[in-house]
Amino acid sequence: MEDISDRLKRVVVALDLDYDEAMRVARQLQGHASWMKVGMTLFYAEGPAIVSKLKDLGFKVFIDLKLFDIPHQVSGAAASLAALGADLITVHAIGGQSMLKAAVAGASEGAIYANVTAPKLLGITVVTSMSQDDLADIGVSRDLDEQVSELAALAMKAGLNGVVASPQELVRLRGELGNEALVVTPGIRPAGSDSNDQTRTATPAEAFDDGASYIVIGRPITAAADPLAAFNALFD
Ligand code: C5P
């Protein structure tokens, strides 16, 4: 079995905080955690500067903006995020083949322009807040699991590197997409911790045992009295 330090390198800390709090947590985890996730709230408030700061502290940065627009716009957005030094970005698979291919091409062009390594791209399938009824409301009659699998397959076909998947989808998608695909999983709660608004969770160890490439964890670390201690205890 892989040792704990290897698993800790594949933990992404979700900084769903304001700038000062995010920087406080990042500094506490500097030299220990490898990855930070910047989502819409922090990015739209603070812009690219937060990403540069995190890169300067030595983190890999997952910029989770779930891009979805016409291919030209998504290509430009992916290029901009790549040039910023993003290591991982997300795109809505429902945007379709042309948009997804444009994202891949844009990311590559942005990275070449800025002379950095291109980010890996993850497809968003069906966000876990959506139910079968919500799918019906937007005209999708397919079974929710089937919709997730089809969108994941579409993302891989378009050249993305993987998908975001809930703990419940992990084993199935890992099986369907093969070992090379990145499967990144939020909804993680260490045994005995507060589930907050997450309903179906897995522990860090369970998610890796089920095939996660990376796991995303926010509040169990960021809201802890001692974020570094909480990070180091994830696999206890
Ligand atoms: O604080 P917590 O560990 O619940 O944070 C989880 C992170 O993963 C948040 O940034 C959230 O937006 C993201 N996420 C999630 N569930 C999904 C997709 C993304 O919790 N289905």
Side-chain angles (χ1 to χ4, degrees):
M1 191 174 99
E2 182 186 37
D3 75 33
I4 287 173
S5 69
D6 287 330
R7 288 190 159 188
L8 285 173
K9 285 185 191 133
R10 297 192 285 133
V11 171
V12 182
V13 180
L15 294 177
D16 301 318
L17 304 162
D18 68 23
Y19 180 86
D20 291 345
E21 284 285 293
M23 290 309 294
R24 181 182 63 83
V25 170
R27 286 200 184 91
Q28 283 169 348
L29 295 176
Q30 188 183 15
H32 299 274
S34 299
W35 283 87
M36 295 286 149
K37 179 168 91 77
V38 176
M40 291 185 195
T41 305
L42 184 55
F43 192 87
Y44 291 151
E46 303 300 339
I50 184 74
V51 177
S52 307
K53 290 263 184 202
L54 293 170
K55 298 292 293 185
D56 289 347
L57 291 177
F59 293 108
K60 291 186 173 155
V61 181
F62 173 5
I63 309 184
D64 183 17
L65 297 181
K66 299 185 175 66
L67 308 180
F68 185 5
D69 205 324
I70 59 169
H72 179 69
Q73 182 77 270
V74 167
S75 168
S80 298
L81 295 177
L84 260 184
D87 297 282
L88 202 51
I89 64 175
T90 45
V91 184
H92 271 289
I94 200 153
Q97 190 79 226
S98 309
M99 192 203 81
L100 294 169
K101 285 184 172 164
V104 174
S108 161
E109 284 158 20
I112 289 169
Y113 172 78
N115 197 23
V116 294
T117 307
K120 300 268 199 288
L121 287 90
L122 300 175
I124 302 295
T125 59
V126 179
V127 291
T128 50
S129 52
M130 286 190 89
S131 65
Q132 191 74 55
D133 286 345
D134 292 322
L135 288 186
D137 285 346
I138 57 164
V140 175
S141 53
R142 269 204 296 232
D143 182 65
L144 196 151
D145 284 347
E146 192 188 343
Q147 178 77 353
V148 168
S149 291
E150 292 292 332
L151 288 173
L154 177 74
M156 299 307 292
K157 198 171 143 209
L160 271 66
N161 303 94
V163 295
V164 175
S166 71
Q168 287 66 41
E169 297 162 344
L170 198 42
V171 171
R172 180 168 55 88
L173 287 176
R174 172 59 72 206
E176 289 173 6
L177 303 180
N179 286 335
E180 293 301 308
L182 293 180
V183 182
V184 177
T185 302
I188 303 296
R189 286 296 176 268
S193 69
D194 186 344
S195 60
N196 308 111
D197 50 4
Q198 300 281 8
T199 48
R200 289 164 299 160
T201 61
T203 67
E206 283 166 348
F208 281 129
D209 289 345
D210 284 350
S213 312
Y214 297 93
I215 60 173
V216 175
I217 312 182
R219 289 161 291 179
I221 296 169
T222 61
D226 183 344
L228 179 57
F231 176 80
N232 283 327
L234 288 175
F235 296 96
D236 289 356

